[in-house]
Amino acid sequence: MIIPKTREEIELMRESALLVSKTLGMIASEIKPGVTTLQLDKLAETFIRDHNAVPGFLGLYGCPSTLLTSVNDQVVHGLPTDRPIQEGDIVSVDCGAIKNEFYGDHAYTFEIGEVAPETKKLLQITKESLYIGIREFKIGNRVEDVGNAIQKYAEAHGYGVVRELVGHGLGRKMHEEPEMPNYGKRGRGKLFIEGMVVAIEPMINMGTRNIKHLKDGWTISTRDGKPSAHFEHDVAIVDGKPELLSTFQYIYQALGIQSDEENEFRQHALAL
């Protein structure tokens, strides 16, 4: 059952989402060659707790970490390790936090130094597909309208769209109804309603869409060993239209990137 949120609850969820955004912004300042994902994990846990919140992933379904860090051919759910990050890597950092009894859940794939041009393009197209999907999250549309838009855009560039892992509703639980696949046919799935909040998160592979599970029980990687990218935003339906609750602007601030990509999805300018 879909659980719509009141305006007041959506504003509380915005606080949760923005704390995750700020955590990823902090990570953007720290992630570089030689740093380990375990070090980043400890920084994130401290940052979230210092902001009067609780890590959203730690302990959830037995998860042992605050961050999920997926490197290169790892799609999602990579566990932090003591392997130093290397020049040319890409690292997807997925983070959750509980504040005001609501979850925020948000991800970004970072380029470490100089990344191969074909990998850089994968990240660009994956992020663009996220916003293409968000545009479809509005009154009158259905779940698979979002997935279809993401799928068509990614596949038009020759990429594989992961099927086994999906976005989801978000609220007092990390995973609520509905599931939000990144593929589908227009006009199918549950109808969107005012007050819905979801996490939309394309997971796009450079090669095959097929994946495999690693022996740690968490990490999922591409079957062909090619890179994978993952970007995620928390989005509400407000006045019938998509309203971004999370932001990449803290990341961009840390990295010196100028972007207006989020403007169309905000009724009010974000005060950084």
Side-chain angles (χ1 to χ4, degrees):
M1 184 179 73
I2 293 172
I3 306 171
K5 310 303 187 291
T6 65
R7 292 294 179 95
E8 291 76 18
E9 288 173 329
I10 287 171
E11 290 311 308
L12 292 175
M13 291 195 69
R14 193 191 304 273
E15 289 185 35
S16 306
L18 288 178
L19 175 55
V20 177
S21 301
K22 290 172 184 175
T23 306
L24 292 177
M26 179 274 296
I27 293 296
S29 298
E30 301 291 338
I31 193 167
K32 55 180 69 74
V35 173
T36 72
T37 49
L38 266 176
Q39 289 173 310
L40 297 177
D41 186 64
K42 296 302 180 190
L43 289 172
E45 179 177 357
T46 299
F47 188 88
I48 290 168
R49 294 192 189 280
D50 284 350
H51 285 78
N52 300 313
V54 176
F57 295 170
L58 187 61
L60 184 70
Y61 311 127
C63 180
S65 57
T66 294
L67 300 178
L68 293 170
T69 52
S70 306
V71 183
N72 296 331
D73 64 324
Q74 296 175 354
V75 181
V76 285
H77 300 170
L79 295 181
T81 72
D82 58 5
R83 169 196 177 272
I85 297 167
Q86 298 176 13
E87 176 86 12
D89 283 346
I90 57 170
V91 185
S92 168
V93 180
D94 196 354
C95 180
I98 310 167
K99 188 175 176 65
N100 308 313
E101 300 183 357
F102 286 99
Y103 277 90
D105 176 24
H106 186 24
Y108 189 89
T109 301
F110 292 92
E111 301 176 21
I112 309 302
E114 286 299 314
V115 170
E118 60 270 24
T119 304
K120 189 182 284 280
K121 184 182 178 187
L122 170 70
L123 269 59
Q124 175 194 337
I125 297 302
T126 303
K127 183 151 65 73
E128 288 173 0
S129 78
L130 169 61
Y131 293 111
I132 284 168
I134 289 171
R135 284 191 195 106
E136 301 298 321
F137 183 56
K138 59 188 178 183
I139 295 295
N141 279 2
R142 294 179 179 272
V143 163
E144 291 193 28
D145 294 333
V146 171
N148 176 264
I150 292 170
Q151 179 185 8
K152 283 176 64 177
Y153 191 72
E155 289 182 350
H157 288 85
Y159 298 139
V161 179
V162 174
R163 301 290 198 277
E164 295 86 346
L165 303 151
V166 298
H168 50 90
L170 192 67
R172 295 182 188 273
K173 295 182 178 179
M174 172 67 77
H175 296 110
E176 295 186 354
E177 289 293 322
E179 290 191 341
M180 295 290 296
N182 297 304
Y183 62 93
K185 293 186 177 179
R186 292 202 65 87
R188 293 204 316 197
K190 294 185 176 179
L191 193 65
F192 295 140
I193 59 174
E194 182 73 14
M196 278 182 73
V197 180
V198 299
I200 297 176
E201 48 178 322
M203 290 155 271
I204 309 297
N205 300 342
M206 186 179 287
T208 176
R209 67 177 177 85
N210 297 322
I211 59 171
K212 61 182 179 181
H213 295 253
L214 302 193
K215 291 178 181 177
D216 63 15
W218 282 89
T219 308
I220 294 169
S221 66
T222 60
R223 189 164 288 281
D224 60 8
K226 292 183 178 179
S228 182
H230 175 215
F231 291 88
E232 178 180 17
H233 268 313
D234 300 341
V235 196
I237 292 183
V238 177
D239 295 330
K241 299 179 295 186
E243 169 79 7
L244 267 188
L245 304 184
S246 53
T247 184
F248 293 147
Q249 290 301 322
Y250 295 106
I251 295 171
Y252 294 160
Q253 224 174 29
L255 299 179
I257 296 171
Q258 296 288 327
S259 173
D260 61 1
E261 66 193 16
E262 298 176 2
N263 291 357
E264 67 179 285
F265 305 111
R266 294 195 193 283
Q267 293 186 17
H268 305 287
L270 187 68
L272 292 180

